[in-house]
Amino acid sequence: MSKILVTGGCGFIGSHTIVDLIENGFEVISVDNNSNSTTDVLSGIEQITGKSITNYNYDLKDFAQTESLFINHPDIVGIIHFAAFKAVGESVAKPNEYFENNLFSLINLLKCVKQYNVPYFVFSSSCTVYGNPDHIPVTEFTPTKPAESPYGATKQMGERIIQDFTFTENAHAILLRYFNPVGSHPTTIIGELPLGKPLNLVPVITQTAIGKLPEMQVFGSDYPTRDGSCIRDYIHVCDIAHAHTLALQYLINNKQKSKCDIFNLGSGNGVTVFEAINTFEAISGVKLNYKVSPRRAGDVISIYANNELAVKELGWEIKYDITEMMRTAWNWELKLAEKK
Ligand code: WQD
């Protein structure tokens, strides 16, 4: 059974990916310093999979702690690297913390990949590397433009660091460019747990609907789009999770076309903020209390994916549409409310 190290395994996408990896026969260990997550999710993973997951509460900026993972687990064959700060708006306010955290942790991991001959490395990248694209949908060959935020810059730099690393070292890597991951596991045992006030649209919608937030804002209705609000490519977290399993299997089966292949992980559908709100209201029966506010700094006007490469090369099949994304997100919010 191949052992995979998942960094950020207590996070939203990390936890859902661990479930998918286990269901597909991988052995998994997690490292997460819980700076933006809690270990509560580990019991949920065990409830779904029947497997107990060890999480090492280490800071990947500490090389000695990072290296100890590989000394104690010489049989790690792959790493999926999620652990990073990821709030676009927060990164504008704290650029230095973002560069230090996201890049130092990556470089420490790559030092260990080299020192301990880890063959496979899958990187959690982002559609933010495209900046404000001139043409949509974007393909993996769409030229990247200056990132709109320090967060996006750390993903652009991370991709370059990994590409140059694989050029000289033995390891093979895959860069997975997520669009907007949303929703929760269909069992409603695990889901998105934003610590503090949520920043992303879907948790803001569900928390407004359940009454945790008195109202929500739509950041701008004067964009040059079909209804004036921004367009994004929402993709279910379980579809994103399964793409990671497929990416590892792609590497293990030597299907890669280069030392560092890139894939867009998006649904291929652009949805406006108002359309997302309308879809949520339709499945929940809840009228959302929102007001239109000024545009949010750093927001891209419109972006969605051409995902044909991931579908063709990884065999990726998307299972959830925007209605199901909203339904699982709402079911999760309702479950959280029951626990209170
Ligand atoms: C989506 C749309 C907002 C909140 C995210 C992640 C980033 C990356 C890409 C993975 C925008 C609008 C939001 C609100 C609103 N993912 N909005 N009111 O900015 O696309 O970035 O996906 O790496 O990590 O942050 O996502 O959900 O914040 O915004 O109107 O209260 O919803 O303006 O148009 P974004 P988001």
Side-chain angles (χ1 to χ4, degrees):
M1 195 187 281
S2 300
K3 182 180 283 184
I4 306 298
L5 170 65
V6 173
T7 77
C10 295
F12 176 40
I13 306 174
S15 55
H16 286 77
T17 299
I18 290 177
V19 167
D20 198 274
L21 287 168
I22 292 169
E23 289 175 344
N24 285 277
F26 287 97
E27 183 185 356
V28 180
I29 56 171
S30 168
V31 56
D32 193 318
N33 67 357
N34 299 126
S35 62
N36 192 24
S37 63
T38 71
T39 53
D40 296 351
V41 70
L42 298 174
S43 57
I45 293 172
E46 184 168 355
Q47 202 179 332
I48 296 170
T49 64
K51 293 274 178 70
S52 147
I53 293 293
T54 301
N55 178 64
Y56 293 89
N57 187 300
Y58 293 172
D59 186 339
L60 294 172
K61 296 195 296 297
D62 179 315
F63 180 73
Q65 287 188 358
T66 306
E67 185 182 28
S68 72
L69 291 164
F70 298 88
I71 293 168
N72 296 324
H73 296 276
D75 53 347
I76 290 171
V77 300
I79 298 169
I80 303 183
H81 181 38
F82 293 106
F85 294 159
K86 64 119 192 161
V88 170
E90 184 187 53
S91 76
V92 174
K94 301 178 176 175
N96 233 27
E97 286 84 339
Y98 268 68
F99 289 118
E100 181 188 37
N101 185 67
N102 292 5
L103 299 182
F104 283 21
S105 54
L106 172 62
I107 288 167
N108 277 342
L109 278 171
L110 292 178
K111 280 181 180 173
C112 294
V113 167
K114 175 176 179 161
Q115 210 167 313
Y116 296 91
N117 292 313
V118 178
Y120 309 119
F121 191 88
V122 178
F123 180 62
S124 163
S125 190
S126 163
C127 61
T128 43
V129 304
Y130 293 110
N132 235 328
D134 296 330
H135 304 287
I136 48 174
V138 291
T139 74
E140 290 80 357
F141 308 101
T142 297
T144 58
K145 295 177 67 181
E148 297 284 324
S149 67
Y151 162 76
T154 68
K155 291 301 183 182
Q156 284 179 337
M157 292 176 197
E159 288 196 351
R160 176 63 193 268
I161 290 168
I162 295 163
Q163 283 165 328
D164 289 357
F165 177 84
T166 56
F167 191 70
T168 57
E169 304 304 333
N170 297 329
H172 285 71
I174 285 184
L175 310 178
L176 296 178
R177 291 175 177 168
Y178 312 154
F179 283 69
N180 289 51
V182 298
S184 77
H185 195 270
T187 60
T188 323
I189 292 170
I190 59 174
E192 187 167 12
L193 264 179
L195 300 185
K197 189 176 180 312
L199 298 171
N200 293 130
L201 179 66
V202 172
V204 165
I205 286 177
T206 58
Q207 289 199 14
T208 304
I210 201 97
K212 277 185 194 167
L213 297 173
E215 72 171 7
M216 66 170 282
Q217 302 174 74
V218 171
F219 295 132
S221 63
D222 58 348
Y223 283 100
T225 64
R226 53 184 177 266
D227 64 14
S229 63
C230 291
I231 292 174
R232 292 292 184 275
D233 181 328
Y234 299 96
I235 178 76
H236 197 280
V237 64
C238 290
D239 282 325
I240 291 265
H242 189 56
H244 288 76
T245 301
L246 294 172
L248 278 172
Q249 291 166 339
Y250 174 85
L251 289 171
I252 291 167
N253 297 328
N254 281 313
K255 297 277 182 58
Q256 58 273 38
K257 301 291 183 298
S258 75
K259 290 294 298 295
C260 190
D261 286 353
I262 302 174
F263 296 101
N264 281 341
L265 296 187
S267 69
N269 303 310
V271 171
T272 72
V273 176
F274 288 126
E275 289 164 351
I277 288 173
N278 295 339
T279 304
F280 176 81
E281 291 180 334
I283 61 102
S284 64
V286 175
K287 188 88 185 77
L288 269 177
N289 182 19
Y290 69 82
K291 71 175 182 188
V292 177
S293 307
R295 297 180 176 188
R296 181 176 70 174
D299 263 340
V300 159
I301 299 166
S302 175
I303 187 166
Y304 59 94
N306 174 319
N307 63 6
E308 289 163 12
L309 206 57
V311 170
K312 177 171 174 281
E313 297 298 333
L314 298 181
W316 191 39
E317 291 171 26
I318 292 168
K319 294 194 165 44
Y320 298 83
D321 64 11
I322 188 68
T323 303
E324 284 312 303
M325 290 179 220
M326 290 299 180
R327 192 188 313 283
T328 58
W330 182 228
N331 289 343
W332 171 246
E333 193 66 66
L334 291 168
K335 179 77 175 290
L336 289 175
E338 282 169 22
K339 290 179 183 175
K340 289 276 180 246

